[in-house]
Amino acid sequence: MLQNPTIQFAHPAYQMQAAFERRDLPGKTFQTWTLEETLSRLGEAEVLVLSGYWQNTFFDAAPNLAYVHVCAAGYDRYDISAFTERGIRLANSSGVNVNAVGDHAMALLLSLTRQLHLARDRQLRREWRGVVGDIRRREDELEGKTMLIYGLGAIGGRLARLAQAFGLRVLGIRRNTAKVPDGVEALHAPAAFLDLLGEADVVALTCPLTDETRGLVGAEALARMKPTAYVINVARGPVVDEQAMVAALEGGGIAGAGLDVFDPEPLPETSKLWSLENAIITPHSGGETRRYEENVIDILAENLARLSRGEKNLINQIA
């Protein structure tokens, strides 16, 4: 059992300690803001709440560590077997950004089809655009178009419902096809992905990064898409082959892309994506909202309560 633990929050921006202390929850808390500061105080922690700072060398510096809570959904940098061997519990914050990322994906699509990014550019130049005679250069509508969502977990499901509300026909890809989620017309296994691309006006990526999804959208996939189609990536950067994406955007293979994730991050200044008019780039901010810390603490507080009672099962347990 873990009673009244010492909790270290380690993040360069998230106000986790403040959010935790507003709840008047049991435990002694402190927050570190840099990797160096985090390393210097690891020996004090029984519970560690962090995301990108983690590295396996932390084990040796944290002899009292009993539980690590990842304040994000992604945990591909965590060595699960190492946690299991040491008997250290591990859980993530899957679900905290379901609404935020689903909304962000829809916002990227709306921005592309309504050309809001181009309107903003003209605003900065104080330029009034007249009526457009070339139909191909006008804003577009979503009603009646088809969205193909790869990854129908909570975020993909949220996006499917939003898309349906805008009149889109939604097709889904996921491993378990036994039950079709709300808002999805048809559900397919991953093997059908390439064959379905020709039907899609929008390809939305909301999947985790796995060996199966790494490089999923590369030259072959992009070649099968309509030249009028859009790619929305709120999954992970390596799911898309950036070089192939740039070639498709520059050559008219697809109409545009809304990208919130990249490989590597931050996106290097030398990337051609920065200068493409038909790409919208956001800095992996899809999940960041004013409620983010509170959403993480909801899960953390429940898991700490379970650990204090000696329970084995945690929310979003990984190890």
Side-chain angles (χ1 to χ4, degrees):
M1 293 191 293
L2 192 62
Q3 303 283 351
N4 200 36
T6 298
I7 307 167
Q8 178 177 3
F9 298 95
H11 199 280
Y14 293 155
Q15 311 291 313
M16 290 293 174
Q17 183 186 17
F20 187 89
E21 291 186 342
R22 282 195 293 270
R23 307 284 187 95
D24 195 27
L25 296 165
K28 174 187 175 183
T29 67
F30 65 96
Q31 178 139 3
T32 52
W33 303 97
T34 67
L35 178 58
E36 293 73 19
E37 187 185 8
T38 297
L39 281 166
S40 71
R41 298 194 65 182
L42 274 175
E44 304 171 46
E46 294 172 277
V47 174
L48 179 61
V49 183
L50 80 172
S51 57
Y53 281 158
W54 178 263
Q55 48 192 271
N56 271 8
T57 55
F58 282 15
F59 286 125
D60 294 332
N64 300 315
L65 195 59
Y67 173 48
V68 172
H69 187 91
V70 185
C71 58
Y75 58 90
D76 45 280
R77 69 181 300 150
Y78 292 79
D79 184 346
I80 298 172
S81 62
F83 278 86
T84 302
E85 289 170 6
R86 290 167 173 79
I88 298 173
R89 311 295 290 278
L90 176 68
N92 73 347
S93 298
S94 178
V96 297
N97 57 8
V98 167
N99 290 346
V101 179
D103 293 356
H104 195 80
M106 201 68 207
L108 287 171
L109 176 59
L110 286 166
S111 295
L112 285 165
T113 56
R114 301 308 305 172
Q115 299 182 20
L116 297 183
H117 57 307
L118 302 182
R120 178 68 178 186
D121 291 346
R122 288 193 295 272
Q123 177 182 335
L124 294 174
R125 298 193 298 266
R126 299 175 182 266
E127 175 185 312
W128 184 271
R129 189 198 71 180
V131 177
V132 178
D134 186 346
I135 293 176
R136 296 169 301 176
R137 296 183 62 82
R138 294 179 190 169
E139 291 85 348
D140 206 354
E141 300 178 25
L142 294 178
E143 179 81 31
K145 295 188 183 300
T146 295
M147 175 183 284
L148 175 62
I149 302 177
Y150 195 112
L152 273 168
I155 292 172
R158 164 80 173 179
L159 178 57
R161 295 188 295 275
L162 291 173
Q164 184 188 48
F166 277 88
L168 284 137
R169 169 183 176 242
V170 180
L171 305 178
I173 298 277
R174 75 176 180 193
R175 290 180 180 178
N176 183 357
T177 59
K179 183 179 179 181
V180 180
D182 293 341
V184 178
E185 179 181 294
L187 190 59
H188 301 268
F193 178 62
L194 289 176
D195 291 334
L196 291 169
L197 288 172
E199 295 185 46
D201 299 293
V202 183
V203 176
L205 306 170
T206 57
C207 53
L209 177 61
T210 65
D211 290 341
E212 187 177 47
T213 61
R214 187 178 295 275
L216 177 73
V217 177
E220 182 179 3
L222 291 161
R224 295 199 184 200
M225 291 178 61
K226 300 176 183 179
T228 54
Y230 297 97
V231 172
I232 306 294
N233 187 14
V234 292
R236 285 291 182 268
V239 173
V240 170
D241 179 329
E242 182 182 319
Q243 192 171 7
M245 173 65 71
V246 168
L249 290 167
E250 287 183 327
I254 60 173
L259 307 171
D260 185 51
V261 288
F262 307 90
D263 181 27
E265 293 182 355
L267 183 66
E269 292 182 8
T270 54
S271 172
K272 289 186 176 181
L273 288 171
W274 289 110
S275 60
L276 295 179
E277 191 177 70
N278 53 349
I280 296 179
I281 290 170
T282 54
H284 203 154
S285 58
E288 293 182 359
T289 69
R290 298 176 187 184
R291 272 206 52 84
Y292 191 85
E293 285 90 340
E294 299 295 337
N295 293 340
V296 172
I297 298 303
D298 286 343
I299 298 174
L300 174 64
E302 174 59 27
N303 280 348
L304 290 176
R306 294 185 185 191
L307 288 168
S308 73
R309 298 190 295 265
E311 296 182 19
K312 292 184 178 181
N313 296 322
L314 303 179
I315 299 175
N316 295 338
Q317 183 172 327
I318 301 164

